[in-house]
Amino acid sequence: MTNPLLADWNTPFGLPPFDLISDDDFAPAVDAALTESRANIAAIAENPDAPDFANTIEALERADEMLGRVLGAFYNVAGADSNPKREALQREFAPLLSAYGSEVSENKALFARVEAVWEKRDELDLTDEQQRVLMLTRRGFVRSGAQLEGKAAEELRAVKSRLSVLGTDFMQNLLADERDWFMKLDKDDLIGLPDFVVATAKAAGDEKDAGGPVVTLSRSLIVPFLQFSERRDLRQKAYEAWGARGANGGETDNRGIAAETLKLREERANLLGYDTFADFKLETEMAGTPGAVRDLLMKVWEPAKAAAENDAKVLERLLHSDGFDGPLEPWDWRFYSEKRRKELHDLDEAELKPYLQLDRMIEASFACANRLFGLEFKAIEAPVYHPDVRLWDVTRDGEHVAVFMGDYFARGSKRSGAWCSAMRSQQRLSGDIRPHVVNVCNFAKPEAGKPALLSYDDARTLFHEFGHALHQMLSDVTYESISGTSVARDFVELPSQLYEHWLEVPEVLAEFATHAETGEPMPEDLLNRMLGAATYDMGFQTVEYVASALVDLGFHDGPAPADPMQRQAEILEEIGMPHAIRMRHATPHFAHVFAGDGYSSGYYSYMWSEVMDADAFAAFEETGDPFDAETAKRLEETVLSSGGSVDAADLYTAFRGRLPGVEALLKGRGLDKAA
């Protein structure tokens, strides 16, 4: 019987035939695809013809097409709907794929051909995009160890293989801790919880077959529980379980994995001739150096810390007025901050939430994309990997642009957080290939027949991930390696964070923030109060983020710490971390940094991109129209369609005419007057 992953996909828009694919199909398909890729690589390396751009660089672009197709389907399913079989396959595939990557980068004949093309690049009449792809291809080989010989090459191969295994183990341990813990709630435990939190807890209890409402470690449930529960003892229990993910001892403990990962990264950097892993990692980013990253973070840290400390004094007085002695604790912050927000802004999450329906916020994100870029979205039916997944055909002027998939609800089989990925990326080398783009979120699933309601933070997350999706969907390049979000890590968050700004446009909320029961639009007074509170508690939010970024940088900008937890504590003490705030991501559950190399030494990227997004939205504001057609066209042409075809700094300068400073960020966060 033909493996459906390897057969032609006669499905709408060439989507994976998930109705035909079983877990038993993945391993044989990966084996077959790796065999094909190895044959393609051998054919390139052994080609008797003189190396040129077509027979070497473009051939490399095509070499892994089958492998990319199979893995695109597998890793999206494994991340969003895992099970023991898929977790075992991830552990099996990690060393296999690392070994294949090392084979390619260490293939001396192949690298010699790449070098030959590089050496005669000025004679080849290459386009600017081809010059860029050539440079990135050669740089990728060099940074993967292509110039190493003998023992050094063997050591690097072993290091990369082990790192791939550790990253998989880290993520699976974290998923296990998040999946297995929950706290049952009796009737007396529900005191203070609004109806929407109780409903979410009941739905979570149904999923866990717990016989009643529960609190889980899903952010969409535990955060509102911490905001509203009047049971301080239960807030503490839930908060400490949330903070202990990956640090509970036993088989799922990630502390040893973090230590080994940091040591191996240091070895990798040293083998490649760099003093530290941060030096290696940041060389290709906009920031360039660890010093530039630290400078940005500290410019934000000091005013954020001052604002947070001022807020802590007020919240602690509220704690004491409730009869509790001692200091404000981390499990108290959200509870008393919510009380204070209601006092200062007359804003109650329970009053606000019925106006932020998931379906209406999806419509809002689509409507903004229509007004800015002319995109239209039509719901379609096709095989999906889980019943919760929704599909849309994205068109412009009647022409197909992309398939967009939304997978919005939390479940035990899904890793935490929110992300955007592409099962298929845009390119033109192998035909007019249009992308298949996925947004995955972890919003609380409502009871049957009830609409899904979001917090304002949830709605911002939805817009954020859709900004990434637009970067993928509007990509217009020839080569897949530079398509969509294949850009510098500290530039990739610009489109996503920029798109969040359109959620704050009053006319958008006036149209789409409608009450779940009455259908009435959000009252203007409530809308103004919500927008007026946009920077409320920003000291807290900034401190917990920047602390995480500084710890990440501290781990990699120097010798690898033997005990990462001790080093984490030292860094937090050095910067004066407020007692009642903890890192957004403590080391044992810092998946951005330890579940792969993506944001390692690069968690600062959100802040670096925010410097740009605050300034970029100002370009629209300066026209007096947040949907100004000319500015939107320039944004698409210079940033969203270009992928990695041009250096990130040059892309931004082409859009805005200059690079920004940190001032717009501080103003946008309300920290410009913090003292």
Side-chain angles (χ1 to χ4, degrees), residues 171-385:
M171 193 67 243
Q172 292 189 354
N173 289 345
L174 179 55
L175 178 61
D177 277 5
E178 292 173 342
R179 181 177 56 221
D180 294 344
W181 188 92
F182 61 89
M183 179 174 69
K184 291 186 178 181
L185 299 175
D186 296 327
K187 185 176 181 180
D188 292 343
D189 301 335
L190 303 178
I191 183 170
L193 299 181
D195 290 344
F196 77 85
V197 181
V198 175
T200 301
K202 286 180 178 178
D206 291 342
E207 187 195 8
K208 299 293 185 185
D209 198 22
V214 302
V215 173
T216 69
L217 299 181
S218 169
R219 177 176 284 271
S220 60
L221 176 50
I222 196 169
V223 167
F225 180 80
L226 293 170
Q227 282 178 298
F228 294 106
S229 175
E230 295 184 18
R231 289 284 304 274
R232 193 185 190 209
D233 58 331
L234 297 184
R235 295 202 311 268
Q236 180 178 358
K237 182 178 179 181
Y239 184 89
E240 290 186 334
W242 197 30
R245 291 169 294 159
N248 289 302
E251 294 182 355
T252 62
D253 198 295
N254 276 332
R255 287 171 288 191
I257 290 176
E260 186 179 357
T261 297
L262 293 172
K263 182 62 177 173
L264 290 172
R265 284 177 179 161
E266 180 183 26
E267 290 181 24
R268 178 183 179 185
N270 293 163
L271 285 166
L272 292 169
Y274 297 86
D275 292 335
T276 71
F277 183 79
D279 290 321
F280 164 72
K281 189 66 183 293
L282 295 173
E283 179 185 51
T284 60
E285 306 300 329
M286 287 186 74
T289 66
V293 173
R294 184 171 283 103
D295 181 59
L296 168 68
L297 293 175
M298 292 310 296
K299 283 180 179 177
V300 178
W301 172 257
E302 293 301 339
K305 178 185 171 186
E309 288 175 335
N310 288 335
D311 291 339
K313 294 173 184 176
V314 178
L315 301 185
E316 189 165 88
R317 286 197 293 269
L318 294 175
L319 171 74
H320 293 165
S321 69
D322 276 352
F324 295 105
D325 296 326
L328 185 77
E329 298 291 350
W331 47 88
D332 296 319
W333 191 292
R334 287 176 172 85
F335 179 75
Y336 288 103
S337 180
E338 181 65 24
K339 280 191 170 186
R340 186 185 181 210
R341 183 173 74 151
K342 190 170 183 179
E343 291 176 3
L344 291 178
H345 298 281
D346 190 22
L347 197 62
D348 185 344
E349 186 83 12
E351 178 189 14
L352 185 63
K353 201 155 187 172
Y355 291 98
L356 299 175
Q357 300 175 67
L358 171 61
D359 285 351
R360 295 293 279 151
M361 291 299 101
I362 293 172
E363 289 178 39
S365 68
F366 290 174
C368 291
N370 176 261
R371 291 183 65 180
L372 289 164
F373 309 114
L375 299 179
E376 297 182 338
F377 299 81
K378 179 183 178 182
I380 57 173
E381 297 291 332
V384 290
Y385 60 82

Side-chain angles (χ1 to χ4, degrees), residues 10 42 73 99 104-105 180 220 321 366 376 383 409 433 469 476 484 498 533 569 584 637 663 665:
N10 297 314
V104 174
S105 62
D180 294 344
S220 60
S321 69
F366 290 174
E376 297 182 338
F409 296 126
I433 306 299
D476 184 22
L498 174 58
R584 182 173 299 176
E637 291 177 346
E663 295 76 20
L665 179 149

Side-chain angles (χ1 to χ4, degrees), residues 415-669:
R415 65 181 171 91
S416 61
W419 64 93
C420 175
S421 59
M423 288 196 192
R424 186 174 79 181
S425 295
Q426 180 272 330
Q427 52 127 323
R428 289 194 297 273
L429 184 62
S430 299
D432 185 16
I433 306 299
R434 306 310 307 168
H436 301 157
V437 186
V438 192
N439 273 180
V440 183
C441 299
N442 269 282
F443 303 140
K445 191 170 186 177
E447 296 178 279
K450 301 281 188 178
L453 304 180
L454 306 182
S455 68
Y456 191 65
D457 188 56
D458 287 338
R460 194 161 49 236
T461 296
L462 186 145
F463 267 68
H464 177 101
E465 298 306 332
F466 193 72
H468 282 308
L470 288 172
H471 202 182
Q472 295 276 18
M473 291 189 285
L474 293 173
S475 177
D476 184 22
V477 298
T478 301
Y479 301 98
E480 184 177 354
S481 64
I482 55 169
S483 176
T485 57
S486 298
V487 298
R489 179 64 63 178
D490 49 10
F491 189 70
V492 76
E493 297 298 337
L494 169 61
S496 55
Q497 292 178 181
L498 174 58
Y499 204 66
E500 292 178 33
H501 288 274
W502 276 277
L503 177 62
E504 302 169 357
V505 173
E507 65 186 273
V508 173
L509 289 166
E511 180 177 358
F512 294 99
T514 56
H515 197 279
E517 294 179 4
T518 68
E520 292 296 313
M522 183 183 290
E524 186 176 356
D525 175 62
L526 178 58
L527 175 61
N528 291 336
R529 282 183 278 134
M530 182 180 73
L531 293 176
T535 61
Y536 174 72
D537 214 19
M538 195 55 74
F540 168 84
Q541 295 178 40
T542 307
V543 161
E544 64 166 6
Y545 165 76
V546 175
S548 296
L550 285 167
V551 168
D552 167 42
L553 184 65
F555 278 161
H556 297 99
D557 185 24
D563 183 349
M565 299 305 294
Q566 179 182 340
R567 181 65 185 130
Q568 172 185 297
E570 291 170 352
I571 294 169
L572 296 179
E573 183 176 358
E574 289 167 5
I575 62 176
M577 185 74 170
H579 171 79
I581 307 178
R582 292 183 183 168
M583 295 166 61
R584 182 173 299 176
H585 304 291
T587 297
H589 54 86
F590 206 163
H592 281 81
V593 171
F594 291 105
D597 260 2
Y599 284 88
S600 57
S601 199
Y603 191 62
Y604 76 93
S605 299
Y606 293 92
M607 188 65 70
W608 192 274
S609 292
E610 190 176 338
V611 170
M612 290 181 285
D613 84 64
D615 180 68
F617 192 68
F620 287 88
E621 293 177 317
E622 288 161 9
T623 71
D625 179 4
F627 295 97
D628 180 67
E630 184 179 331
T631 309
K633 181 180 180 182
R634 190 167 74 250
L635 176 66
E636 179 179 352
E637 291 177 346
T638 57
V639 176
L640 297 176
S641 70
S642 298
S645 62
V646 179
D647 179 78
D650 293 336
L651 287 177
Y652 189 83
T653 302
F655 170 65
R656 197 69 170 108
R658 52 166 173 72
L659 291 174
V662 73
E663 295 76 20
L665 179 149
L666 293 174
K667 182 179 179 181
R669 285 186 170 238

